[in-house]
């Protein structure tokens, strides 16, 4: 090999070495760039995570704030209710009833109120049928206290005797109070519909005439809205219905139990049994309901004398076996327990038998959701 060739080879080798070094250097550079990019990415990610965390914390703290606000509102509502309750109880000391014909000394002056009337729709909801202004005068003292409402005598300008019923534990929201009273109206509408059917069914039996002619009557109250300077909203709402003459009696408790010392008239017991029997088969009231809390007055001056069975009832409470235990029947819905409590102490009479109400044995169970009622078990 000539010297020239050797030099040429050496030069080529050097060139290759140089190229290799460059390649390695480039590779190193790329690697470094990748590292750098990765580090930047990690940093960016950390930043975003931090932002997310801060956002989440902000949302959580706002939720907490809202929850605290809601709890505060609820607390205020409870305080307002308790205060109203205490005030109502204070008045209880001065319970009194007017003699109606006497002087106007113990009556508040006439005031303009708005009277709203309701009916039951085909889907068992209450619907406003009309509203009008009335001049109404309230007696200064309440005349009776129940567990949920208290009653005060009232008189329309034309002299009609009325009674108004106000919520004992009134909330501060007029809308809420209105809704509570609408539930009362709904219960009365349902009780009236069942009582009308019961009366009709009685006439078709072969029971003695005095029983066939017996009547259970409920009348549907109006909701009255009246000015009242004692409450924040400036207005109050109450139920208004005609004053019932005759002696006031209560025959059955709202939890389905009977009074130990007082016999429930067979007609009323049959009515309660009938209410459950009938509604268990109605599609809208699937699972059934029972009219409880029977109270009102037994008319004595309608010509029947001692044999009178003309019951004017009011303030029913409804317990339901429906799958939704508080399906708009208010605070006195005792559910399946109320129904069973009545059934436990009820003994069917000739009236139940004449109406074809089968004897009930065993406890009723809460029906499964949307399960059809079992017509054979009742
Ligand atoms: Zn009578
Ligand atoms: Zn019965």
């Amino acid at each position: 090999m000539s010297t020239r060739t050797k030099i040429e080879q050496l030069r080529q080798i050097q060139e290759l070495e140089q190229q290799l070094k460059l390649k390695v250097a480039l590779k190193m550079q790329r690697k470094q760039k990748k590292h750098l990019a990765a580090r930047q990415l990690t940093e960016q990610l950390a930043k975003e995570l931090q932002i997310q965390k801060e956002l989440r914390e902000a949302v959580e703290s706002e939720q907490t704030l809202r929850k605290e606000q809601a709890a505060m509102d609820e607390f205020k509502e409870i305080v307002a209710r308790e205060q109203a309750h205490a005030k109502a109880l204070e008045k209880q000391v001065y319970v009194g009833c007017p003699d109606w014909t006497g002087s106007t000394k113990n009556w508040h002056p006439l005031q303009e109120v708005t009277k709203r009337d309701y009916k039951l729709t085909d889907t068992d909801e209450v619907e406003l049928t009309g509203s009008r202004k009335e001049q109404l005068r309230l007696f200064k003292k309440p005349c009776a206290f129940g567990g949920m409402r208290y009653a005060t005598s009232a008189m329309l300008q034309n002299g009609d005797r009325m009674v108004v019923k106000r919520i004992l534990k009134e909330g501060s929201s007029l809308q809420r109070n209105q809704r509570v009273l609408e539930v009362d109206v709904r219960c009365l509408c349902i009780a009236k519909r069942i009582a009308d059917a019961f009366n009709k069914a009685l006439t078709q039996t072969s029971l003695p005439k005095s029983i066939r002619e017996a009547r259970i009557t409920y009348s549907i109250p109006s909701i009255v809205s009246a000015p009242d300077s004692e409450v924040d909203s400036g207005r109050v709402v109450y139920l208004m219905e005609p004053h019932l003459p005759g002696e006031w009696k209560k025959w059955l408790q709202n939890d389905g139990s009977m009074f130990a010392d007082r016999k429930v008239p067979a007609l009323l017991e049959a009515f309660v049994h009938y209410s459950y029997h009938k509604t268990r088969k109605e599609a809208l009231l699937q699972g059934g309901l029972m009219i409880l809390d029977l109270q009102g007055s037994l008319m004595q001056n309608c010509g029947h004398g001692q044999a009178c069975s003309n019951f004017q009832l009011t303030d029913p409470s409804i317990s339901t076996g429906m799958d939704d235990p508080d399906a708009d029947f208010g605070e006195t819905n005792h559910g399946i327990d109320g129904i069973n409590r009545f059934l436990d102490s009820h003994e069917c009479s000739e009236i139940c038998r004449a109406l074809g109400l089968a004897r009930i044995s065993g406890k009723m169970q809460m029906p499964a959701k949307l399960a059809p009622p079992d017509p054979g078990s009742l």
Side-chain angles (χ1 to χ4, degrees):
M1 199 182 275
S2 70
T3 311
R4 216 176 136 228
T5 317
K6 269 185 185 172
I7 291 170
E8 180 61 21
Q9 271 184 345
L10 201 65
R11 203 189 54 80
Q12 279 177 356
I13 287 169
Q14 277 173 340
E15 208 168 275
L16 276 172
E17 250 177 72
Q18 200 61 37
Q19 278 175 6
L20 207 68
K21 268 186 195 161
L22 205 70
K23 262 186 190 166
V24 169
L26 271 172
K27 224 178 188 174
M28 290 286 284
Q29 212 180 5
R30 264 193 237 118
K31 233 180 193 174
Q32 266 177 353
K33 265 190 189 163
K34 263 187 197 162
H35 273 302
L36 196 70
R39 209 172 62 223
Q40 278 173 346
L41 213 67
T42 312
E43 276 169 12
Q44 207 178 333
L45 213 68
K47 260 186 216 161
E48 268 167 23
L49 280 172
Q50 179 63 24
I51 290 170
Q52 270 182 17
K53 195 181 158 212
E54 278 165 14
L55 268 173
R56 207 167 45 236
E57 277 168 6
V59 167
E60 271 166 14
S61 93
E62 199 188 318
Q63 277 172 346
T64 311
L65 213 68
R66 259 192 227 152
K67 262 185 216 157
E68 277 168 7
Q69 186 63 47
M72 187 63 100
D73 287 349
E74 201 184 331
F75 179 69
K76 273 187 198 160
E77 180 73 28
I78 290 168
V79 169
R81 249 189 346 251
E82 289 302 328
Q83 278 172 347
H85 187 205
K87 202 180 265 178
L89 286 178
E90 221 171 85
K91 284 183 189 162
Q92 194 169 1
V93 182
Y94 308 106
V95 165
C97 290
D99 67 356
W100 297 104
T101 53
S103 74
T104 55
K105 182 167 72 88
N106 292 317
W107 292 82
H108 287 294
L110 277 173
Q111 60 178 354
E112 190 180 84
V113 301
T114 306
K115 172 176 167 280
R116 295 190 177 88
D117 292 303
Y118 297 85
K119 67 162 188 171
L120 209 58
T121 66
D122 294 339
T123 53
D124 276 346
E125 299 303 321
V126 283
E127 185 181 77
L128 187 71
T129 57
S131 145
R132 63 174 181 167
K133 303 271 186 239
E134 290 275 7
Q135 297 290 324
L136 186 72
R137 184 197 296 291
L138 295 189
F139 196 63
K140 282 183 180 167
K141 304 167 183 176
C143 61
F145 281 78
M148 298 288 163
R149 313 278 174 262
Y150 66 97
T152 306
S153 302
M155 210 194 292
L156 288 170
Q157 197 171 21
N158 65 8
D160 281 357
R161 297 172 187 183
M162 311 300 283
V163 61
V164 299
K165 288 166 185 172
R166 198 163 153 181
I167 303 167
L168 204 52
K169 291 194 171 189
E170 215 164 51
S172 58
S173 151
L174 195 64
Q175 280 74 22
R176 181 194 163 272
N177 296 337
Q178 166 85 21
R179 277 198 302 276
V180 168
L181 294 184
E182 280 172 11
V183 172
D184 284 4
V185 172
R186 180 167 182 262
C187 287
L188 263 150
C189 287
I190 291 173
K192 180 181 169 15
R193 191 182 65 199
I194 296 169
D196 291 348
F198 175 78
N199 294 337
K200 194 174 170 210
L202 277 182
T203 63
Q204 291 159 354
T205 64
S206 52
L207 287 162
K209 190 167 178 282
S210 66
I211 301 175
R212 272 187 284 125
E213 289 182 352
R215 290 289 171 271
I216 291 178
T217 313
Y218 282 99
S219 53
I220 298 169
S222 314
I223 296 180
V224 165
S225 156
D228 188 326
S229 56
E230 284 185 33
V231 294
D232 290 344
S233 61
R235 285 193 90 76
V236 288
V237 280
Y238 35 71
L239 297 173
M240 182 169 79
E241 58 194 37
H243 164 80
L244 295 179
E247 191 197 345
W248 187 268
K249 276 185 182 157
K250 180 155 175 154
W251 292 278
L252 189 66
Q253 306 265 43
N254 69 30
D255 66 356
S257 59
M258 301 177 188
F259 293 102
D261 58 335
R262 221 180 301 174
K263 183 86 191 77
V264 186
L267 186 82
L268 295 187
E269 273 203 42
F271 170 63
V272 176
H273 185 168
Y274 177 86
S275 68
Y276 188 53
H277 173 88
K278 183 170 168 57
T279 55
R280 281 191 87 209
K281 290 168 185 168
E282 287 181 12
L284 282 168
L285 303 171
Q286 211 169 72
L289 55 77
M290 192 177 263
I291 312 284
L292 298 170
D293 216 357
L294 299 195
Q295 56 190 310
S297 123
L298 184 59
M299 307 298 272
Q300 298 288 2
N301 52 357
C302 51
H304 296 118
Q306 286 301 307
C308 179
S309 291
N310 187 354
F311 291 90
Q312 302 267 326
L313 303 185
T314 184
D315 299 340
S317 86
I318 293 180
S319 282
T320 170
M322 280 179 249
D323 50 13
D324 182 1
D326 27 49
D328 281 355
F329 295 111
E331 293 163 278
T332 51
N333 177 4
H334 290 270
I336 207 81
D337 291 342
I339 293 174
N340 279 327
R341 206 170 285 122
F342 173 81
L343 294 177
D344 278 350
S345 44
H346 169 62
E347 275 172 35
C348 284
S349 63
E350 54 164 344
I351 304 175
C352 294
R353 285 186 284 275
L355 290 169
L357 312 181
R359 280 216 357 246
I360 297 166
S361 56
K363 291 224 185 279
M364 295 297 125
Q365 301 297 323
M366 184 72 95
K369 197 173 173 133
L370 296 178
D374 176 8
S377 68
L378 194 72

